[in-house]
């Protein structure tokens, strides 16, 4: 409905996803690429860096020109804090400041791009992700109009993530997924994957315990067949895999969201 989304209802030109590491920000960007049907450009600060003077700014300009040519399109910049930290910081190099300025100019002008042959507007959206939103330049923060907090998974989300991780393995009847989810409060999506992975390996660890290298090599296929994952495997895995996100990190993200968030 392009006629509706005009003037003050114009589409957002920039979206920032921020939150603790391992919560699925990059995965959400991949989902956007699959679902929205636009041309998707996945870039990082390394792909825009060059040792030649002026080359980095030219690549930034070429990226946005290309995105406009293939509009509607989405430019995804992962770990954008490494590309656009606050200007004026001590030790900032001149070339780094020029790249930041070029990014700001291009993001500011992405929607002033004319129209397609059918009269529809050429839409280019910038989608960015970061674990350190407080390091981003203030001017870029203004241009990324929607700032969405991606928090750690809640109880229901953890239950679903555990079920997804266990799709390809056999699970014993004594496994209480809700109890596992309850005991993994504060774990990120990546942490839950590590818990499930460690639990799935415990059966093999028990079978090879005390065996020599030659004995392990000579084990038959039946001997190493996968046993169902039991509840004791999860209990052992939880004691070994600790959450990677501290409460201080969560508190800092929530404070930044309270000040600058716009979900």
């Amino acid at each position: 409905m392009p006629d509706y989304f005009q003037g003050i209802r114009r589409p957002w030109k920039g979206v920032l996803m921020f939150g603790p590491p391992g919560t699925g920000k990059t995965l959400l960007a991949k989902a956007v690429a699959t679902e929205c049907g636009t041309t998707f450009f996945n870039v990082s600060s390394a792909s825009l860096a060059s040792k030649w003077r002026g080359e980095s700014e030219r690549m930034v300009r070429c990226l946005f020109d290309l995105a406009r040519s293939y509009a509607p399109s989405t430019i995804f910049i992962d770990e954008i804090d490494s590309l656009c930290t606050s200007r004026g910081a001590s030790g900032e190099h001149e070339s780094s400041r020029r790249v930041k300025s070029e990014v700001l100019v291009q993001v500011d002008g992405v929607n002033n791009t004319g129209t397609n042959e059918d009269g529809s507007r050429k839409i280019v959206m910038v989608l960015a992700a970061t674990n350190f939103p407080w390091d981003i330049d203030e001017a870029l923060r203004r241009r990324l109009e929607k700032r969405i907090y991606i928090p750690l998974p809640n109880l229901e989300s953890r239950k679903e993530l555990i079920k997804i991780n266990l799709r390809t393995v056999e699970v014993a009847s004594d496994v209480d997924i809700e109890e596992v989810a309850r005991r993994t409060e504060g774990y990120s999506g990546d942490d839950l994957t590590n818990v499930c992975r460690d639990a799935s390996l415990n059966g093999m660890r028990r079978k090879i315990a005390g065996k020599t290298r030659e004995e392990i090599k000579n084990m038959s296929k039946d001997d190493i067949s996968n046993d169902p994952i039991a509840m004791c495997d999860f209990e052992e895995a939880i004691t070994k895999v600790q959450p990677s996100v501290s409460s201080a990190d969560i508190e800092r993200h929530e404070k930044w969201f309270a000040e600058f968030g716009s979900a």
Side-chain angles (χ1 to χ4, degrees), residues 4-12:
Y4 180 82
F5 293 99
Q6 294 183 7
I8 196 63
R9 297 194 187 105
R10 64 188 178 276
W12 308 107

Side-chain angles (χ1 to χ4, degrees), residues 125-198:
M125 186 186 76
V126 176
L127 180 62
T130 180
N131 299 328
F132 305 98
W134 42 83
D135 288 340
I136 294 176
D137 187 76
E138 293 85 351
L140 180 65
R141 185 178 67 212
R142 178 187 67 79
R143 287 163 171 81
L144 298 173
E145 301 156 315
K146 294 289 285 184
R147 296 177 286 276
I148 303 171
Y149 179 41
I150 312 296
L152 293 176
N154 57 22
L155 178 62
E156 290 301 315
S157 299
R158 292 197 299 276
K159 285 166 59 177
E160 293 303 316
L161 285 168
I162 293 168
K163 290 176 183 177
I164 290 171
N165 281 311
L166 299 177
R167 281 182 304 186
T168 59
V169 294
E170 189 178 351
V171 181
S173 57
D174 69 330
V175 173
D176 186 349
I177 290 181
E178 184 161 353
E179 176 63 21
V180 175
R182 192 176 293 111
R183 291 180 60 179
T184 50
E185 175 74 30
Y187 282 63
S188 67
D190 279 350
D191 296 335
L192 288 171
T193 299
N194 290 335
V195 168
C196 294
R197 182 181 297 163
D198 197 270

Side-chain angles (χ1 to χ4, degrees), residues 203-204 207-208 215-227:
M204 176 61 72
K207 287 184 178 180
I208 65 174
E215 289 174 333
I216 295 172
K217 288 174 65 177
N218 294 328
M219 290 174 67
S220 67
K221 191 172 183 179
D222 293 334
D223 291 335
I224 62 174
S225 59
N226 293 328
D227 290 335

